[in-house]
Amino acid sequence: MAWLRAVPGVRALTGYRREWLSKDVVAGIALTTLLVPQGMAYAELAGLPPITGLYTTILCLLGYAVCGPSRILVLGPDSSLGPMIAATVLPLIAADGDPRRAVALASMLGLMVAGIMILASVARLGFIADLISKPTMIGYMNGLALTILIGQLPKLLGFKVDADNLVGECAGLVRKLADGATVPAAAAVGVSGLVLILLLERLLPKVPAVLAMVALAILAASVLDLHEHGVGLVGPLPEGFPPFTVPDVRVDDLVPLLAGALGIAVVSLADTISNSSAFAARTGQEVRGNQEMAGVGAANLAAGLFQGFPVSASGSRTAVAERTGAKTQLTGVVGAVLIVLMLVLVPGLFRNLPQPALAAVVIAASLSLADIPGAVRLWRQRRTEFLLCVAAFVGVALLGVLPGIAIAVGLSVLNVFRRAWWPYNTVLGRVPGLEGYHDIRSYPGADSLPGLVIYRFDAPLIFANAKSFRDEVRQLAGTDPRPRWIVVAAEPMTDVDTTAADVLHDLDTALAVRHVRLVFAELKDPVRRKIEAYGLTRTFDPDRFFPTVEAAVTAFSRSTGAEWAVGSDTRPLDPR
């Protein structure tokens, strides 16, 4: 039974305290007021029937309660995943538009995301969450927010636009507005609902804004008979608990579903890790990325087997749980049970919910995704990262959500490679009044020792940058007057691979012809052992390695009799 105690839900249950029960129940009741309308709204955002959002919410809460390591993290349908699900599923049902086929495809997508998460957890690939840098994530989310906003505006105003991309949706929206397609009653419900949510969230944050708006919208639809005025309603929901269903999809659907599942898994994991880290910091918990992947995988597995779709962590719902005193995942279980009771006892509760009200919920969520101040800060602080942000934004806006996430991940990885290919490098000098040796770009008046160049290369020396290192050292060796020693301040070099070792061998041979000696200072022991394993010590004698830069400078001074001079002609290398 030791394996059973290793399950996070079982472990939490054995340590449960009686005084937590009332707090978890109250928090679960408060959480349900947000889970129901958001679950339905995000299902429609994904192009699925509203009821699937409730099925998904129920099962993912139960799945994560059993296998999730976080005490209060809340999972569920998410506004950032909705467009990705729609972008994956809708093209596959374009020919017939069958909602049952759409549900089957979305459920299979959930199972694929679950499989990816669980396999990644077993392989300890939690670092995958770091594949999207913050600048590219800001650009991606801003593009996603704009895509959701433009896509939901027609629904908010009471009409539909058929388009495959953001440009087409914008053009269709303008045409419909010009043709007078707006339904006044629908627009009144949608716009007033959106304004009400935004005002309540700003002025009365403790009031459940979404629930208040939904309740008023249902009341207005019932009293004013809005359906007769052209306002679409949700209609009756199926009764009872969602049935266990193995999704039935065609074999030729699996490849496009897998492509979408990979993108959804990366975004879901990044959302989950960032949210769990933020809330764990407040409660003193430790975030375990691999266990989080297993928990999210279990939540997606449960949802996918009961007509649900992929899920992620929700910062807004977790914040509600935290503010209302949640102590454990029992809060989510209470929320799931209440939704089941609603479907069993009062399935017609939301039949008069206007569709524009759901659009208002989605648009309000999309506005919270956008981070315009973050983009402005990047512009002010670092233009290269701002350009990455803009590229990710443009990728989502012009190419679509799934290509956008691929672009975001690709740009993040390329940015890492760029820094490895062209790392910062500089010449060091001695500054009066400061210990050690310092960058002569920061201290242009630094002293230098005639015949000696101290060169620092701020990166591991690997295949991608070895030739850049070689070229910079050759440039230094070719200055006038020619240096006799080039001391590599190697403390930042955390690695030397075999390609770089071969480059070092050839570089040393070429420098020897010019009577320039290449030596190393502060080289880490593990890197030194690699150099020895490569056989480089046959070229580089032990007396070419010094424990400190100061030791290398002292050795050069003793060997040549050189003394410090002020105002050397040595110039810093061009920054990359």
Side-chain angles (χ1 to χ4, degrees):
M1 297 294 289
W3 67 268
L4 190 60
R5 288 193 296 271
V7 177
V10 175
R11 193 166 59 245
L13 190 61
T14 57
Y16 196 82
R17 300 179 187 176
R18 182 179 299 177
E19 60 268 23
W20 290 349
L21 181 60
S22 60
K23 295 181 179 179
D24 280 339
V25 170
V26 170
I29 295 172
L31 184 62
T32 306
T33 63
L34 189 61
L35 293 173
V36 173
Q38 283 194 345
M40 298 170 68
Y42 297 160
E44 293 217 331
L45 176 62
L48 302 168
I51 187 63
T52 60
L54 300 184
Y55 291 166
T56 300
T57 302
I58 294 168
L59 272 303
C60 77
L61 289 173
L62 296 177
Y64 190 81
V66 174
C67 299
S70 173
R71 288 201 296 263
I72 65 168
L73 197 66
V74 178
L75 269 66
D78 189 71
S79 58
S80 64
L81 298 188
M84 300 181 73
I85 298 169
T88 305
V89 169
L90 295 185
L92 300 177
I93 64 167
D96 50 23
D98 183 2
R100 287 178 297 181
R101 176 163 155 73
V103 171
L105 290 169
S107 297
M108 179 57 73
L109 193 60
L111 295 180
M112 286 183 168
V113 171
I116 292 169
M117 289 287 194
I118 293 171
L119 288 175
S121 174
V122 172
R124 298 188 177 277
L125 300 178
F127 66 88
I128 290 175
D130 300 327
L131 283 179
I132 309 181
S133 66
K134 188 171 183 179
T136 49
M137 180 59 88
I138 290 174
Y140 172 77
M141 287 299 181
N142 285 340
L144 193 61
L146 180 62
T147 300
I148 294 173
L149 175 63
I150 298 300
Q152 291 294 307
L153 277 177
K155 184 177 175 182
L156 188 81
L157 301 175
F159 57 84
K160 293 183 178 180
V161 171
D162 294 324
D164 297 328
N165 52 55
L166 184 63
V167 175
E169 288 180 343
C170 289
L173 177 63
V174 172
R175 283 196 301 268
K176 290 281 189 176
L177 290 174
D179 294 341
T182 302
V183 177
V189 172
V191 174
S192 60
L194 178 60
V195 171
L196 180 62
I197 291 175
L198 297 178
L199 286 177
L200 288 178
E201 287 180 344
R202 185 175 183 85
L203 302 177
L204 299 171
K206 292 186 178 181
V207 174
V210 172
L211 177 65
M213 187 277 291
V214 166
L216 289 175
I218 293 174
L219 179 62
S222 303
V223 173
L224 303 177
D225 199 13
L226 293 180
H227 182 64
E228 296 299 323
H229 293 82
V231 179
L233 304 178
V234 168
L237 299 176
E239 298 181 20
F241 193 80
F244 176 86
T245 307
V246 177
D248 182 17
V249 300
R250 296 194 290 258
V251 174
D252 56 355
D253 292 330
L254 296 180
V255 172
L257 285 176
L258 180 59
L262 289 169
I264 290 170
V266 172
V267 173
S268 176
L269 181 59
D271 271 351
T272 302
I273 295 296
S274 62
N275 280 300
S276 62
S277 299
F279 287 98
R282 303 180 191 178
T283 59
Q285 279 190 281
E286 180 183 350
V287 177
R288 297 178 292 275
N290 293 310
Q291 287 191 15
E292 285 293 358
M293 279 194 293
V296 177
N300 279 283
L301 178 63
L305 291 174
F306 288 85
Q307 299 186 17
F309 50 85
V311 298
S312 177
S314 168
S316 61
R317 278 161 278 181
T318 305
V320 169
E322 182 190 47
R323 286 199 304 266
T324 50
K327 294 297 181 182
T328 69
Q329 284 296 328
L330 182 60
T331 296
V333 174
V334 170
V337 170
L338 289 176
I339 297 174
V340 172
L341 292 176
M342 183 200 76
L343 293 176
V344 172
L345 302 178
V346 283
L349 183 62
F350 289 94
R351 72 169 64 204
N352 288 332
L353 176 60
Q355 293 284 357
L358 289 180
V361 173
V362 174
I363 290 175
S366 74
L367 296 178
S368 67
L369 290 177
D371 187 4
I372 305 302
V376 173
R377 186 175 65 252
L378 290 175
W379 169 260
R380 293 174 178 170
Q381 294 178 349
R382 190 159 183 170
R383 298 293 172 86
T384 55
E385 295 195 346
F386 174 77
L387 292 177
L388 291 175
C389 174
V390 171
F393 172 83
V394 172
V396 175
L398 297 185
L399 301 180
V401 177
L402 290 178
I405 189 61
I407 289 172
V409 172
L411 288 174
S412 297
V413 174
L414 284 175
N415 192 36
V416 173
F417 286 156
R418 180 187 66 83
R419 293 175 182 177
W421 283 328
W422 299 296
Y424 186 82
N425 59 98
T426 189
V427 171
L428 305 181
R430 190 173 68 173
V431 180
L434 292 178
E435 292 186 2
Y437 297 86
H438 304 275
D439 189 341
I440 65 173
R441 291 196 187 97
S442 301
Y443 300 93
D447 299 348
S448 62
L449 199 58
L452 176 69
V453 173
I454 306 172
Y455 173 62
R456 192 182 69 205
F457 190 79
D458 290 351
L461 195 58
I462 57 176
F463 69 96
N465 59 32
K467 292 183 179 179
S468 175
F469 173 86
R470 177 199 63 192
D471 293 343
E472 302 293 4
V473 172
R474 282 180 175 176
Q475 180 184 336
L476 289 172
T479 56
D480 188 22
R482 181 173 298 168
R484 297 174 64 179
W485 279 27
I486 296 178
V487 176
V488 179
E491 194 274 336
M493 287 186 182
T494 55
D495 192 16
V496 175
D497 68 8
T498 55
T499 302
D502 291 339
V503 170
L504 283 176
H505 178 274
D506 295 341
L507 175 62
D508 184 66
T509 302
L511 291 179
V513 174
R514 299 185 182 184
H515 304 289
V516 178
R517 185 176 175 85
L518 185 65
V519 303
F520 292 86
E522 301 180 352
L523 194 66
K524 291 178 170 60
D525 288 343
V527 182
R528 174 77 176 271
R529 286 193 289 270
K530 289 181 180 179
I531 287 178
E532 292 173 351
Y534 299 152
L536 269 181
T537 49
R538 291 194 299 269
T539 303
F540 291 87
D541 298 330
D543 62 356
R544 297 236 222 143
F545 297 93
F546 295 89
T548 65
V549 174
E550 184 64 45
V553 172
T554 301
F556 174 78
S557 183
R558 289 175 179 172
S559 174
T560 63
E563 297 180 355
W564 285 99
V566 180
S568 168
D569 289 332
T570 302
R571 297 288 188 268
L573 305 180
D574 292 335
R576 297 295 183 112

